[in-house]
């Protein structure tokens, strides 16, 4: 796939590394262009000057920026994301990382409302950045949960997750992004509370068919 990753922090960097290593064509962009240039040099990606430049030829656009910046990034992307898959990998955490800033909805739903011509899918937000290039535990793939309202867009995201080594799990429509954002908060909270090493990840177990 042609993947545009907006943001070069821990999540953006991890995704760029994993996606480029598995053969995807990756473009990256950052608020500071030098950061994008460095990540591109480290991973084999291409550094773009602007979000729109990164996204114009992409099949998938990944928002890997702080949640508070995501809406502004969507504005910058404009019509370049019309009809495209936009993955919201963000979590709307408050300043103390003790709660979410949303109430009664999800950050992904808010983004979808702001960009109705894009196909927003929530994915990658429940995975710590450190596990994006280490996608198995005890020989089993980690779960890659995703939620969205467009079935074709979700199929694309499932394909991307599988290509990176995750077990894709469709959790339903975009309303379920609320649960995924809470699930991410839970993992963050238990690591902070217990002084863990930020390597825990989700794996559902048990039979799924009778």
């Amino acid at each position: 796939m042609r993947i545009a990753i907006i943001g070069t922090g821990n999540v953006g960097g991890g995704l760029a590394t994993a996606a480029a290593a598995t053969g995807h064509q990756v473009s990256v962009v950052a608020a500071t262009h030098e950061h994008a240039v460095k990540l591109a040099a480290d991973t084999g990606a291409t550094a773009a000057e602007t979000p729109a430049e990164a996204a114009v030829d992409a099949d998938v656009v990944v928002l890997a920026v702080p949640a508070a910046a995501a809406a502004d990034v969507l504005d910058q992307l404009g019509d370049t994301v019309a009809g495209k898959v936009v993955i919201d990998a963000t979590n709307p955490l408050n300043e103390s990382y003790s709660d979410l800033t949303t109430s009664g909805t999800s950050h992904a739903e808010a983004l979808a409302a702001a960009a109705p011509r894009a196909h927003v899918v929530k994915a990658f937000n429940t995975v710590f950045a450190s596990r994006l290039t280490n996608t198995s535990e005890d020989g089993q793939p980690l779960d890659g949960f995703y939620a969205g309202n467009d079935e074709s867009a979700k199929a694309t995201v499932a394909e991307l997750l599988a290509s990176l080594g995750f077990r894709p799990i469709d959790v339903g429509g975009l309303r379920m992004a609320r649960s995924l954002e809470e699930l991410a908060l839970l993992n963050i909270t238990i690591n902070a509370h217990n002084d863990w090493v930020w390597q825990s990840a989700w794996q559902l177990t048990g039979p799924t068919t009778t």
Side-chain angles (χ1 to χ4, degrees):
M1 298 182 194
R2 294 169 298 181
I3 304 170
I5 299 174
I6 315 300
T8 59
N10 291 337
V11 174
L15 279 172
T17 300
T22 50
H24 297 290
Q25 184 178 326
V26 180
S27 58
V28 295
V29 64
T32 302
H33 184 58
E34 288 76 11
H35 294 169
V37 170
K38 183 180 186 306
L39 181 60
D42 290 343
T43 62
T46 300
E49 292 277 359
T50 66
E53 179 187 329
V56 65
D57 293 323
D59 303 307
V60 176
V61 178
V62 182
L63 300 179
V65 296
D72 181 60
V73 169
L74 272 181
D75 285 342
Q76 294 177 52
L77 287 167
D79 289 338
T80 60
V81 293
K84 292 185 178 180
V85 180
V86 174
I87 296 177
D88 174 24
T90 72
N91 285 304
L93 300 166
N94 64 14
E95 292 184 0
S96 64
Y97 293 86
S98 61
D99 203 349
L100 302 178
T101 60
T102 51
S103 178
T105 189
S106 67
H107 188 248
E109 289 170 286
L111 292 179
R117 298 178 65 194
H119 301 307
V120 175
V121 178
K122 192 76 181 186
F124 293 105
N125 74 298
T126 61
V127 181
F128 285 148
S130 59
R131 300 309 300 254
L132 292 168
T133 55
N134 179 23
T135 58
S136 66
E137 189 73 22
D138 296 329
Q140 297 299 315
L142 303 179
D143 291 333
F145 303 115
Y146 61 98
N149 294 335
D150 184 274
E151 294 301 322
S152 178
K154 288 202 293 184
T156 297
V157 174
E159 181 182 348
L160 175 58
L161 283 161
S163 75
L164 302 184
F166 292 97
R167 178 177 70 156
I169 297 183
D170 183 351
V171 303
L174 202 58
R175 181 258 178 266
M176 297 307 296
R178 305 175 201 179
S179 297
L180 296 186
E181 291 171 3
E182 291 284 0
L183 194 61
L185 176 63
L186 174 61
N187 205 11
I188 291 166
T189 299
I190 58 178
N191 272 266
H193 179 73
N194 295 295
D195 197 25
W196 289 358
V197 293
W198 303 90
Q199 291 291 318
S200 55
W202 301 110
Q203 286 178 319
L204 294 176
T205 61
T208 57
T209 59
T210 57

